[in-house]
Amino acid sequence: MVTSASPATDSVAPAAGEAAAPFEQGLDRLSPNRNLAPITARLDALGRLEVGGVALGDLAQTYGTPLYVLDEETLRATCRAYRQALAAHYPGDALALYASKANSSLAITALVASEGLGLDAVSAGELLTALQGGMPAERIVFHGNNKSAEELQLAIDRGVTVVLDNWNDIELLSDLAAGRARPVRVLVRFTPGIECHTHEYIRTGHLDSKFGFDPDQLESVLQHLAGCAWARVDGLHAHIGSQIFELEPHRDLAAVMAEALLLARSLGHPCGDLNVGGGLGIRYVGSDDPPSIQEWVRVVAGAVAEACNQRQLVLPRLLCEPGRSLVATAGLTLYSVGSRKEIPGLRTYLSVDGGMSDNPRPITYQSLYTAVLADRPLAEATEVVTVAGKHCESGDVLLRDIRLPAASPGDVLAVFATGAYNAAMASNYNRIPRPAAVFVHDGVADVVQRRERPEDLLRYDVLPHRLLPVT
């Protein structure tokens, strides 16, 4: 297995054979977020890499590339890991909500719902996907820092819990929900003022954030809501970031939220739910060492229970919102190798048929990934290359300075841990269609998202009559 080097160093990753163990042994089936590959990854009789009982090279030939592949067994195992850890470590009721912004589709929603989880949505599109995918409305929460009246109307009409992020939410709902027979279930989100060591764009717990009420506003917000017949404050929400490997910030968060819970209940709000957000990291490259799901839940659950017991509070239902840690390592992306450019003494570029439109994270966050040649995953790595995308941007690089076996046009490259924020953030830059996605399980592949075609990109274009070509 090969990983891209850290941009902060001049080193390159180990050769493929030196890190091949994840295909054959050592997979953490209880906490898939700690794996580099899906839990079903193994070598077939020909030495090719297969996932879900299907050879990746065969998937590429059948469905084309780029191709998103999601391993159903890994996704189910991760859902169960969260559910079982909450049951084991929290003495009250608990529910994990899939943060569907990580990867929203009917198939993923249906699978997550079947495993007993809930879901959080942040747009009408994600909300409709959740509802049509079979997620019960009572297990959905609706987030967003700038919800439209139309989105809020959809949420309250379907009986979805709304997370109040700001005064605009309150003002819109006071009109939309006036006179309803039942009050709208709401959670109040506030910024807890806790810093985490993660990327600047994905730190949402510190005070300088677009999300949530300032903690100094919380009391006035709760006092105002106490006089609103349309609202039932069912709980509080806070979130401290994403791709977090630290545990101490979650202990700090529990104490802050317990104080807020004490305040809310003193003002007459039922506040039966405490939503601590998500943020647990995953292993993208071999040097990453995230906590296990069990350890994360144990720390969070223990901290919440202790903080509430210290304040003599009846334990709330504990909600958490795993996204990346639930779906990322279940996914991988397949590319076909194309052109090569060798710059003597400097760099060799190996281009593939995708790039920043199907994975914008490297150019946006400088994110690192692990990759192999699908049909020769254990072949000796004989060259250092930079894997470039096909877009008209010099920064369109997926993996920089990685060791690979000598690759030829048509070889299939498999990039791991792309189940989160790849399909979800995909674009049509350069008018390139978005990839198909398949679920694999027990030797069977099912298309769960069809591949776009170039002609699909013209569907919503309108050519005014005055601009029609003269014939």
Side-chain angles (χ1 to χ4, degrees):
M1 182 174 285
V2 186
T3 60
S4 58
S6 167
T9 71
D10 294 326
S11 63
V12 292
E18 297 172 8
F23 300 146
E24 299 171 315
Q25 61 183 11
L27 285 171
D28 189 341
R29 294 181 175 273
L30 297 178
S31 192
N33 71 304
R34 291 182 51 78
N35 296 332
L36 288 170
I39 62 177
T40 63
R42 57 181 54 87
L43 303 180
D44 69 7
L46 299 177
R48 304 177 303 171
L49 182 59
E50 66 175 32
V51 172
V54 185
L56 298 182
D58 291 346
L59 287 173
Q61 184 173 8
T62 302
Y63 299 103
T65 56
L67 180 68
Y68 297 127
V69 180
L70 286 160
D71 179 40
E72 183 174 332
E73 186 173 333
T74 300
L75 188 50
R76 289 192 182 278
T78 314
C79 291
R80 292 168 186 168
Y82 271 104
R83 194 178 68 238
Q84 293 166 2
L86 286 166
H89 296 296
Y90 190 64
D93 291 336
L95 178 66
L97 306 165
Y98 170 51
S100 67
K101 66 176 183 175
N103 195 339
S104 179
S105 72
L106 294 175
I108 294 176
T109 298
L111 187 150
V112 169
S114 74
E115 290 293 339
L117 274 64
L119 180 144
D120 87 56
V122 299
S123 69
E126 287 184 1
L127 185 52
L128 284 171
T129 301
L131 292 165
Q132 293 187 27
M135 182 62 68
E138 63 270 18
R139 300 209 311 255
I140 301 175
V141 299
F142 184 52
H143 282 282
N145 68 299
N146 192 30
K147 307 176 190 73
S148 69
E150 292 76 15
E151 289 174 323
L152 288 169
Q153 189 71 63
L154 173 63
I156 64 178
D157 285 348
R158 298 297 186 95
V160 168
T161 297
V162 176
V163 179
L164 301 178
D165 202 271
N166 47 57
W167 283 107
N168 192 58
D169 282 350
I170 294 174
E171 291 166 2
L172 286 172
L173 281 173
S174 66
D175 291 333
L176 296 171
R180 296 179 69 92
R182 294 183 179 180
V184 177
R185 298 195 311 273
V186 300
L187 305 180
V188 178
R189 178 170 183 169
F190 69 101
T191 50
I194 296 171
E195 296 274 2
C196 289
H197 296 132
T198 186
H199 195 285
E200 181 67 28
Y201 295 166
I202 51 179
R203 292 189 304 180
T204 57
H206 56 299
L207 294 178
D208 185 8
S209 171
K210 72 175 187 177
F211 297 104
F213 289 97
D214 187 280
D216 291 338
Q217 294 181 307
L218 187 58
E219 183 171 1
S220 62
V221 171
L222 292 170
Q223 287 176 338
H224 175 83
L225 291 171
C228 296
W230 59 265
R232 173 187 167 90
V233 181
D234 273 354
L236 301 171
H237 177 279
H239 181 66
I240 59 174
S242 184
Q243 187 59 1
I244 300 170
F245 290 1
E246 305 162 271
L247 292 174
E248 192 59 37
H250 297 287
R251 295 188 180 95
D252 298 336
L253 176 63
V256 172
M257 295 197 75
E259 281 294 315
L261 183 64
L262 182 63
L263 170 63
R265 288 183 178 174
S266 73
L267 294 172
H269 296 295
C271 264
D273 289 343
L274 204 63
N275 189 330
V276 298
L280 174 62
I282 71 154
R283 175 169 281 149
Y284 282 106
V285 296
S287 58
D288 289 338
D289 188 23
S292 69
I293 292 169
Q294 292 73 23
E295 180 67 4
W296 186 87
V297 169
R298 183 187 67 79
V299 168
V300 171
V304 169
E306 180 181 3
C308 289
N309 289 336
Q310 287 175 348
R311 293 160 180 80
Q312 298 183 322
L313 290 167
V314 174
L315 284 181
R317 181 173 65 157
L318 176 60
L319 306 180
C320 62
E321 296 174 341
R324 182 197 317 266
S325 62
L326 194 145
V327 73
T329 54
L332 54 91
T333 305
L334 303 181
Y335 300 97
S336 292
V337 173
S339 65
R340 167 190 293 263
K341 177 182 180 179
E342 297 184 9
I343 308 174
L346 186 60
R347 190 180 306 278
T348 296
Y349 286 99
L350 196 66
S351 294
V352 295
D353 56 351
M356 60 185 287
S357 64
D358 59 76
N359 184 0
R361 294 188 68 252
I363 196 171
T364 305
Y365 302 127
Q366 295 75 55
S367 302
L368 306 180
Y369 286 90
T370 297
V372 297
L373 295 182
D375 288 341
R376 294 181 286 138
L378 300 188
E380 181 183 359
T382 56
E383 60 181 8
V384 175
V385 299
T386 287
V387 177
K390 65 177 291 178
H391 299 81
C392 192
E393 293 286 340
S394 59
D396 180 26
V397 169
L398 292 174
L399 302 114
R400 187 177 299 276
D401 295 336
I402 69 166
R403 294 188 186 277
L404 282 177
S408 302
D411 282 346
V412 176
L413 184 74
V415 179
F416 295 96
T418 62
Y421 304 112
N422 283 240
M425 297 176 73
S427 74
N428 293 124
Y429 183 53
N430 288 156
R431 288 239 149 168
I432 291 178
R434 282 171 290 195
V438 297
F439 267 25
V440 290
H441 179 66
D442 283 347
V444 176
D446 294 303
V447 174
V448 295
Q449 287 180 313
R450 296 186 185 94
R451 183 179 304 281
E452 287 182 338
R453 299 296 177 188
E455 54 268 25
D456 295 331
L457 306 184
L458 303 179
R459 182 178 302 172
Y460 298 109
D461 276 19
V462 177
L463 184 61
H465 186 270
R466 63 184 178 81
L467 297 179
L468 289 173
V470 177
T471 58

